[in-house]
Amino acid sequence: MHHARGDHTLSGFLWNSDVIYENYIFWLCQRAASRRGDRANKAVVKFGEVVGGDGSRLETTPDVVFRDPQGKPVAVTDSKYKRLGTRPKASDTYQVLTAGHVLGCQRVSLTYPVAVDREPTVWRVQSALGGSDIELTALPLNLMILTEADGPKRLIEAIAAWLGDEAQV
């Protein structure tokens, strides 16, 4: 694959940009968590008990689970390498709300790459089963600030700001 001919010839290559984005978000989240004395990890979460028929437990794997110093989950985020419109796709909200519910986290988010600064959008998701409400945030991260020397620091601060206050649910 070539992007131009003549003096401006560039050879091209393809990479897993969604995997790179997900790994970078994890790296940023680890640093944001450590600022608070927390930690961030990624692991399969098994839930649900088989009460009839053949089967195994259900699973979800959020991209990042934030845990306090005692190991208690406090927040969940999932990185989405796609465009953010006025609301997340239904399947994405189901995924992160499930993780929040089974881990007991009232604060969940979906992180999106954007090219200009944009405020997060926050929804309160009420439980009709008598459980606690969950705060779902569409967290846009302006990756264009990575062209600046303090770009990574500013992205870490954006994630830390989302984590910073107790859930407003």
Side-chain angles (χ1 to χ4, degrees):
M1 179 168 138
H2 294 283
H3 296 290
R5 299 204 184 280
D7 292 339
H8 303 288
T9 300
L10 295 171
S11 58
F13 61 94
L14 299 176
W15 58 1
N16 293 331
S17 55
D18 56 331
V19 174
I20 292 168
Y21 172 72
E22 185 178 311
N23 289 337
Y24 188 63
I25 295 302
F26 184 76
W27 182 86
L28 293 170
C29 288
Q30 284 181 311
R31 272 121 196 101
S34 69
R35 290 174 132 211
R36 298 168 34 97
D38 293 343
R39 59 187 171 88
N41 73 333
K42 177 175 182 164
V44 173
V45 176
K46 294 186 181 242
F47 63 97
E49 176 185 343
V50 178
V51 295
D54 292 331
S56 56
R57 297 184 73 194
L58 303 171
E59 295 181 354
T60 187
T61 308
D63 289 335
V64 183
V65 176
F66 296 90
R67 296 178 181 276
D68 69 13
Q70 291 73 42
K72 178 184 175 209
V74 294
V76 174
T77 193
D78 208 72
S79 44
K80 297 299 169 191
Y81 191 64
K82 50 182 87 168
R83 297 189 115 187
L84 172 61
T86 57
R87 68 174 176 253
K89 293 185 183 252
S91 59
D92 295 336
T93 61
Y94 300 156
Q95 178 185 19
V96 78
L97 288 172
T98 297
H101 178 74
V102 300
L103 289 167
C105 298
Q106 288 185 269
R107 177 164 286 190
V108 300
S109 74
L110 297 163
T111 61
Y112 293 90
V114 295
V116 296
D117 288 334
R118 180 173 168 177
E119 290 294 315
T121 303
V122 182
W123 294 267
R124 179 183 15 228
V125 180
Q126 297 173 319
S127 171
L129 296 173
S132 299
D133 295 347
I134 293 179
E135 179 186 278
L136 169 62
T137 302
L139 186 61
L141 297 177
N142 182 356
L143 299 185
M144 295 307 293
I145 66 173
L146 291 173
T147 62
E148 301 171 20
D150 66 343
K153 179 181 177 232
R154 290 172 51 197
L155 292 175
I156 292 166
E157 288 170 353
I159 294 166
W162 168 71
L163 286 169
D165 300 325
E166 291 303 315
Q168 301 295 313
V169 292

